Amino acid sequence: MRACGEVRQRSPRVGGEVRYCSPRVGGEVRYCSPRVGGDVRQHSPRGGHELREQRQPSGVVLPHERWAIAVGTPLVAGLQRRRGVRTALLVGAALVLLGAPLVVLAPALPFLVAGSALQGLGPAGLTTIAMSIAGSARAMGLVTASLATVRAASPLAGDVVAGTLGWRATLALPALSLAAVPFVLRRRPVTPLSGSTFDMAGAALLTALVTALVFVPHTWLPAGGAALAVGALLALRLRARPDGFVPVEVVRAPMFLVAAGPAFLLAVVNFGMMYALPPLLARNAGWSGGQVGLAITWPLLFGGLASYLLLMCTARSRLLVPLVLFPALSVAGVVLAAVSDAWAALLAAQALASLAAASGQGAFATRAAAAVPDGERSAAMGLFNLLYLLGAAFGPAIATLLVG
């Protein structure tokens, strides 16, 4: 199966064709048509016709948007580090405002691709800003639990919007995130600014590295080779500019690495299961694609909502507690899915993986932010979220290798 592609299977119990969409690699997942991940996408068979193309535009649009989300995360964090929250917030909002009319009114595919890329850059930056200004475990828990809950509810929202306003309207749903901008600006959050000159070479190398890593799950040999080469150049750049675009104080902080590593692995498991379980549910339960999408929404909602409570329970504990608890929940979900084909067991497995990933994102982000100086907090959150997104990218690819 291809990540981000539509998959069809025949099911004797359904008596027809079961259709669902494979998960998207940039931190979101797709079932049938809706998009998950803070905003919603609807794929329509008519989309290619309206763009005067013979096929759906999603296969062209999604890679560019995935790239924009991954690249935008550290870039907006770097802008915040140098220019402050207000500037970074306004730039992120402007990108969303530019992208929304493009995707709604795009007369041709290139305009749709450009609009989707802008829609990826904007929300990615807003998420990083929200996490960087969260001053407590409670605030961080609200941010990450909200992200997970919105990801879970997005398929249903996508169906409603597409049914009433058309598939193009779902492409503009990231604009809803702009409602939070005035509230944040009224708070006038202030973060320490970096006094160093802008590291253009470091920013370019990190962008190139992220670009290669995003495409590793699809073209692993050339993209993997490029990632190794660019990674070596970036390491040399870190030695030349320790206070550059990628601060050495962040990447060499032991606690940051200890926190970011498990968050990456939890994302791999969670998004890998979101990819692998829908076809199993369709086959074993005899459900249609729509029924599968609706059924798997509930464990994802549970994981997002319950993650806040679990995060609060572990906020004051030693680091060892989340390091053991959240991976244990994730492993339990994998084992449950491996030993049972019952639909209830598969949904419970997804709930455990979702709970572990959402809780881990909040708990480990709080500790990663506390592990670096205040002036590097935004850079730390940018790199932390980038690793989480890469985990969401590699999860479906690994699931493909394991389950086919």
Side-chain angles (χ1 to χ4, degrees), residues 87-179:
T87 299
L89 194 64
L90 291 176
V91 168
L95 292 172
V96 177
L97 285 175
L98 287 173
L102 273 179
V103 296
V104 172
L105 304 174
L109 187 58
F111 294 95
L112 185 64
V113 170
S116 293
L118 290 172
Q119 297 271 64
L121 285 169
L126 297 178
T127 298
T128 300
I129 292 170
M131 295 180 70
S132 66
I133 63 176
S136 65
R138 179 187 181 89
M140 186 71 77
L142 285 173
V143 172
T144 56
S146 298
L147 289 172
T149 303
V150 170
R151 280 196 295 264
S154 292
L156 299 179
D159 281 338
V160 172
V161 172
T164 55
L165 301 177
W167 69 273
R168 282 178 177 266
T170 64
L171 300 176
L173 283 179
L176 294 177
S177 62
L178 298 177

Side-chain angles (χ1 to χ4, degrees), residues 21-55:
C21 281
S22 58
R24 138 160 213 222
V25 188
E28 293 89 19
V29 175
R30 298 186 184 267
Y31 310 111
C32 296
S33 50
R35 169 188 177 189
V36 183
D39 52 301
V40 182
R41 301 269 171 187
Q42 180 79 19
H43 297 183
S44 171
R46 297 176 298 167
H49 174 71
E50 292 176 4
L51 289 167
R52 297 182 182 179
E53 298 285 340
Q54 296 301 315
R55 57 185 174 81

